[in-house]
Amino acid sequence: MSIDEPGLSSGEIAALARRLNRPIVLVGMMGAGKSTVGRKLAQMLDLPFCDADEEIEKAAQLTITEIFDRFGEGYFRGGERRVMARLMEEGRGVIATGGGAFCQDETRRLILEKGVAIWLDSDVDTLVERVGRKDTRPLLRDGDPHEIIGRLRTEREPHYSQAHLHIVSGPGPHQNTVSRILEALDQWL
Ligand code: S3P
């Protein structure tokens, strides 16, 4: 999005929010910007925002790292599946998912059936740069983040590519990504 592309007006965004009859679900790799972009998007559409990882932490009364450390990834995935089922049942607003959620068959089916799935996609360098800002991702602790992210992105792409919309979340400001999502939704709905 450049300065020549003004994007949707506030009236058009309000009209878009009225046409939305299902939750917007952001999927994609760690570091794609799902939580930050989701928050901004929800704010612009005047809709509630929910971060699935935070919901898992609330339900478990533990951080994601603590869940992985004490019970392992399999246990975390079980909690993730249950939380996603509840959020899709509640069916409101904008939901940011954890990077692995859309790769679970049951969760992906639910999201595709009840929501509009948006794949936020970034190249590996951008993802690595962004995840480097936080130290809260257990999958990145044991090894070279560039190698792990590159491998997971390749493995997961067949799942992510089933999302209804594919939006590139480039290295620039997240607001550009939000504007692209609003335009893509406006055309898709
Ligand atoms: C994971 C991504 C994380 C979190 C967990 C596992 C993954 O969420 O759910 O550490 O499997 O890619 P973010 O995508 O918000 O970092």
Side-chain angles (χ1 to χ4, degrees):
M1 168 102 4
S2 77
I3 206 138
D4 308 324
E5 297 172 69
L8 299 187
S9 68
S10 53
E12 286 168 330
I13 294 171
L16 169 61
R18 285 194 295 272
R19 267 150 64 215
L20 258 178
N21 56 0
R22 39 173 139 180
I24 297 171
V25 186
L26 301 180
V27 308
M29 283 292 295
M30 312 173 236
K34 301 178 297 280
S35 301
T36 312
V37 167
R39 264 196 192 88
K40 285 181 194 288
L41 184 65
Q43 203 179 9
M44 292 192 76
L45 287 164
D46 199 17
L47 290 173
F49 170 75
C50 174
D51 185 302
D53 281 344
E54 283 177 11
E55 292 297 314
I56 296 167
E57 291 184 328
K58 258 192 246 163
Q61 293 286 299
L62 294 169
T63 65
I64 303 275
T65 305
E66 286 167 343
I67 299 172
F68 269 72
D69 285 348
R70 293 197 199 171
F71 305 108
E73 182 174 348
Y75 183 89
F76 169 77
R77 295 297 172 200
E80 180 174 57
R81 197 170 52 245
R82 286 191 294 280
V83 163
M84 282 307 304
R86 171 170 62 78
L87 296 179
M88 294 315 296
E89 202 48 53
E90 290 171 4
R92 299 173 303 127
V94 178
I95 301 167
T97 63
F102 200 62
C103 306
Q104 299 197 51
D105 293 344
E106 190 185 323
T107 302
R108 188 173 58 258
R109 187 184 55 70
L110 266 181
I111 295 173
L112 289 173
E113 184 188 308
K114 296 183 185 257
V116 44
I118 302 185
W119 173 21
L120 280 197
D121 184 20
S122 308
D123 60 49
V124 175
D125 287 341
T126 304
L127 295 172
V128 172
E129 203 271 318
R130 291 210 190 110
V131 296
R133 293 178 201 163
K134 276 211 257 167
D135 183 21
T136 51
R137 293 181 170 101
L139 291 180
L140 300 180
R141 282 182 309 195
D142 305 320
D144 168 30
H146 205 277
E147 187 278 319
I148 297 171
I149 290 211
R151 176 172 46 75
L152 284 177
R153 188 178 179 279
T154 305
E155 282 170 14
R156 291 174 172 183
E157 192 164 334
H159 296 134
Y160 294 149
S161 61
Q162 293 177 49
H164 300 107
L165 295 170
H166 178 191
I167 302 288
V168 173
S169 161
H174 283 311
Q175 186 58 45
N176 293 353
T177 308
V178 174
S179 302
R180 279 191 211 116
I181 292 176
L182 289 169
E183 294 200 342
L185 275 172
D186 194 46
Q187 288 182 14
W188 186 79
L189 277 170

